[in-house]
Amino acid sequence: MRFVTYGTAGGDRAGVLNGEFVHALPPGTTLLGQLGPELRQAGERALAEPDEVVALADVRLKAPIPRPPSIRDCLCFLDHMRGCLKATGAPGVLETTWYQIPAFYFANPATVIGPHDDVPISPGSAWFDFELEIGAVIGAAGRDLTPEQAVEHIAGYTLMCDWSARDLQGLESQLKIGQAKGKDGATTLGPWLVTPDELPFGPDGRLALHVRAEINGALVGQGRTDAMDWSFGEVVSYASRGVELQPGDVFGSGTVPGCCLIEHLDFGDLAAFRGWLKDGDVVRLSAEGLGEVRQTVRASAAPHPLAPRADPAAVVRPPRRNPARSAVPYTRGLHQVGAGVWAWLLPDGGYGRSNAGLVAGDGASLLVDTLYDLPLTAEMLAGMRPITDLHPLSHAVLTHANGDHTHGGQLLPGSVRVVAAEATAHEMRAEMAPELTTALQVMDLGPVLTRYLRDRFGGFDFGGIRLREPDHTFDRRLTLDVGGREVRLLNLGPAHTEADTVVHVPDAGVLFAGDLLFVGCTPIVWSGPIAHWIAACDTMIGLDAPTVVPGHGPVTDPDGIRAVRDYLAHVVEQADAALAKGLDLREAMFAVDLAEYAGWLDAERVVVNVYQRYREIHPGQPEIDRFALFALMAEWQATRS
């Protein structure tokens, strides 16, 4: 039999399915109250003499057991655990204990939802995931059961989805005391509870169902439940040791391998990952004999922040301060830098603390870049509103592909024409999903790198970002008309990235240099060649703009451009000298003399710049991935602090 719980104006009702109709049990009867020997009898009475008959299509199904006494989520499929380990860069080899006892943790019965209910993203999570599981519901109380006895205590099975906040889960796992907010956001049960006699089992007694998981109609994974390493009988038996199991207790199978997102994450190929669940995504899970659940993911409000406790073992470091002179007060917010031209500044100019710009014409305006996350971009757009209300945004120029200049694009009105160099658009399409940057905040990468990354990236919110790609691209040059004002775009890359666009406003004498210019903080050569960046500096100086807004750091003038050019020339000189001495790459990185540039913020970026120069001289130099480069920068910084 297939039992359901459905909502009515008078409260929840229980019933049994008969084709496409629900035969209701008497009012006030719950499935939880009927579990045990009475369940089949209650179903037979409802089929023969229903209290009411309603079409299945006309009711809103709830979870069959809306509030179970307990939920134990087990990990019966060890291939799922191996896949999770591989997704985080580990070898995928399980500890011996996984083969000795079945694992489970307690989920939250208060957050059970029905098969078609919207699913709220766990507050504060950017890595929201689903897990397709099968739930076994206990029908009769029992204690110290054998596996064979345990199977007889299962009243039926239902589809189950364990909704998971992977970033919160990863952070909390470092406490080594079990699951917490990463796992109690929501658990789906439904659409119905199916008695064992209606389902197929293999010769070994394992439930034998084919399952399938989709997002927005696209297949994510599929598999079979008879691939379980630990059977339901075994996990229920284990849980019953010294414990009285109660009717309605739910045992989740754990994720059928492949039927979640985390197993498809490959840090070696982040661009191939579809991204985590976002507002509006529709998740459809199905299993033969158990029906399907179809649910829409919805955004949640931001969590109330908690101040961290002081770490008595932490090394006290002096506050970061950008040492560069500023042409306007270097404070957070909007500053006029020319006639009808403003800069939005975000001190101190370090990672993610980037600048943007606004150029207003007659009844139109142009935005230069967005910011690293949605809250920062929303704050900026609100701060610009006194101007953009009079001169609505018509264009937005993305100077390059890095997230601290592109992540806020979804907040722009649809009427805004987003413009970028073609190579920038290409790089945006090839980069990892924006929310994966959360890895820099939550992953345990060892004491040195973890502290470094959390110090640099801990203050941002990467949740809910949907990258908005350019509407119009160009190659090297493009001139825009913004309310009668001429705005010139010049792609001077590759240098910092594959393409680096500067925005020149000739009639105001203002140049927005993007990340071709870091002032008071150290440039980083992700793409190169360095000589191309030096040539780009000469081109910018030749534009003869008296006011220059860098991508990071305070507003400057052509002398600020010369300082960056001289720094890059110094790196080339140091790297070439190290190579001439026979130093290997690591030795060159750690032996570099920064001279007058040692006081610039984030001086450790010289590691990447020396690496880039060595690769230019010897193209066969082994490639180092971003995480490894960050590890080298963290180590370099630790040796100098």
Side-chain angles (χ1 to χ4, degrees):
M1 293 184 182
R2 295 177 295 167
F3 291 90
V4 299
T5 297
Y6 61 99
T8 72
D12 291 350
R13 297 288 303 269
V16 60
L17 285 183
N18 184 9
E20 295 302 313
F21 294 90
V22 178
H23 287 228
L25 276 64
T29 304
T30 66
L31 291 186
L32 181 60
Q34 297 299 307
L35 291 175
E38 298 83 6
L39 182 62
R40 175 166 291 279
Q41 297 171 8
E44 290 173 348
R45 285 195 301 270
L47 290 174
E49 299 178 3
D51 183 76
E52 68 173 9
V53 177
V54 292
L56 179 61
D58 294 337
V59 300
R60 180 74 176 182
L61 293 180
K62 311 289 284 292
I65 311 292
R67 286 292 176 270
S70 72
I71 303 174
R72 293 171 176 85
D73 204 350
C74 309
L75 294 106
C76 297
F77 298 91
L78 297 186
D79 264 350
H80 168 64
M81 293 307 304
R82 296 183 188 103
C84 290
L85 289 175
K86 291 176 182 177
T88 59
V93 177
L94 297 176
E95 297 287 343
T96 303
T97 311
W98 286 94
Y99 304 98
Q100 296 174 329
I101 55 174
F104 72 84
Y105 60 87
F106 283 94
N108 188 350
T111 59
V112 168
I113 58 178
H116 305 120
D117 293 341
D118 287 351
V119 184
I121 294 174
S122 298
S125 175
W127 290 10
F128 198 56
D129 197 0
F130 71 93
E131 292 187 295
L132 190 161
E133 306 188 21
I134 306 299
V137 178
I138 299 299
R143 180 188 183 98
D144 295 319
L145 305 171
T146 67
E148 293 75 21
Q149 291 170 331
V151 170
E152 296 302 317
H153 281 251
I154 296 174
Y157 299 88
T158 185
L159 260 174
M160 174 172 165
C161 183
D162 172 29
W163 301 94
S164 304
R166 298 298 188 188
D167 45 352
L168 305 185
Q169 182 187 10
L171 190 61
E172 291 167 343
S173 69
Q174 296 163 38
L175 300 174
K176 296 180 172 62
I177 59 170
Q179 306 289 345
K181 296 306 296 181
K183 282 289 189 177
D184 76 344
T187 300
T188 299
L189 298 176
W192 38 70
L193 177 67
V194 183
T195 54
D197 58 292
E198 298 237 356
L199 298 171
F201 290 80
D204 59 358
R206 283 166 167 75
L207 193 63
L209 308 178
H210 179 265
V211 302
R212 179 181 176 92
E214 300 175 358
I215 299 176
N216 302 329
L219 178 66
V220 174
Q222 56 187 328
R224 295 193 57 83
T225 60
D226 47 5
M228 298 169 80
D229 295 276
W230 295 98
S231 70
F232 274 118
E234 289 169 322
V235 297
V236 173
S237 170
Y238 179 69
S240 75
R241 293 179 181 180
V243 173
E244 184 82 10
L245 302 183
Q246 299 299 313
D249 285 348
V250 175
F251 282 77
S253 65
T255 310
V256 178
C259 295
C260 61
L261 291 175
I262 192 170
E263 290 185 54
H264 301 279
L265 175 64
D266 178 0
F267 275 93
D269 186 14
L270 291 174
F273 185 58
R274 75 163 302 279
W276 303 99
L277 293 172
K278 296 185 178 67
D279 182 58
D281 282 341
V282 177
V283 177
R284 177 179 177 269
L285 310 178
S286 61
E288 59 177 318
L290 296 182
E292 71 173 45
V293 302
R294 182 183 179 90
Q295 299 177 272
T296 302
V297 174
R298 296 299 183 195
S300 297
H304 299 295
L306 300 176
R309 306 298 90 165
D311 181 355
V315 176
V316 179
R317 294 186 176 88
R320 286 168 58 93
R321 186 186 68 84
N322 191 300
R325 178 184 61 84
S326 182
V328 301
Y330 189 37
T331 56
R332 180 171 176 153
L334 196 64
H335 300 266
Q336 188 159 11
V337 293
V341 183
W342 293 263
W344 183 272
L345 305 179
L346 191 58
D348 53 26
Y351 286 109
R353 292 165 177 83
S354 57
N355 301 326
L358 182 66
V359 181
D362 185 9
S365 60
L366 175 147
L367 180 70
V368 181
D369 285 333
T370 66
L371 299 178
Y372 208 8
D373 62 22
L374 300 183
L376 285 173
T377 302
E379 176 193 355
M380 178 183 71
L381 294 176
M384 292 177 171
R385 195 159 293 132
I387 301 158
T388 56
D389 281 350
L390 296 174
H391 310 282
L393 283 172
S394 58
H395 297 80
V397 175
L398 305 180
T399 60
H400 62 291
N402 285 173
D404 51 347
H405 298 258
T406 62
H407 279 177
Q410 74 192 73
L411 298 183
L412 298 175
S415 59
V416 174
R417 191 183 192 197
V418 179
V419 181
E422 174 55 40
T424 293
H426 173 267
E427 194 170 7
M428 288 173 66
R429 290 190 291 268
E431 284 204 334
M432 66 182 184
E435 68 271 17
L436 286 179
T437 313
T438 302
L440 306 180
Q441 301 171 322
V442 302
M443 288 184 68
D444 184 358
L445 300 166
V448 175
L449 181 55
T450 299
R451 183 178 294 274
Y452 175 81
L453 292 176
R454 292 183 187 175
D455 179 60
R456 298 298 196 266
F457 296 95
F460 302 104
D461 178 1
F462 299 112
I465 297 171
R466 291 183 183 271
L467 204 59
R468 179 170 172 179
E469 294 188 10
D471 303 305
H472 178 79
T473 61
F474 66 99
D475 184 17
R476 305 308 302 181
R477 294 174 178 268
L478 181 67
T479 299
L480 298 175
D481 182 298
V482 180
R485 299 188 75 171
E486 182 183 90
V487 178
R488 300 173 183 170
L489 313 184
L490 292 85
N491 172 16
L492 304 181
H496 173 62
T497 59
E498 288 185 19
D500 295 285
T501 296
V502 300
V503 180
H504 186 207
V505 190
D507 66 358
V510 177
L511 175 69
F512 291 95
D515 278 9
L516 286 175
L517 195 59
F518 291 72
V519 174
C521 42
T522 305
I524 188 165
V525 188
W526 289 124
S527 184
I530 297 177
H532 208 163
W533 195 332
I534 292 173
C537 288
D538 289 333
T539 299
M540 289 190 291
I541 293 169
L543 295 175
D544 199 28
T547 301
V548 183
V549 181
H552 295 258
V555 176
T556 187
D557 56 27
D559 282 343
I561 305 174
R562 294 185 183 95
V564 169
R565 180 189 62 186
D566 293 346
Y567 167 84
L568 295 168
H570 180 75
V571 168
V572 170
E573 178 184 308
Q574 286 282 305
D576 290 3
L579 189 62
K581 293 177 184 176
L583 300 185
D584 63 25
L585 176 58
R586 180 183 174 84
E587 291 170 332
M589 290 172 172
F590 284 80
V592 66
D593 178 8
L594 287 176
E596 67 264 35
Y597 309 107
W600 287 8
L601 292 178
D602 303 320
E604 68 276 3
R605 292 174 179 173
V606 72
V607 164
V608 178
N609 301 336
V610 170
Y611 162 69
Q612 177 63 36
R613 181 57 182 167
Y614 262 53
R615 279 179 56 82
E616 291 171 6
I617 299 171
H618 292 300
Q621 181 82 29
E623 186 172 354
I624 303 176
D625 65 38
R626 287 278 176 98
F627 269 103
L629 287 171
F630 273 119
L632 287 166
M633 286 190 279
E635 183 182 352
W636 191 99
Q637 191 266 345
T639 64
R640 304 292 178 107
S641 59

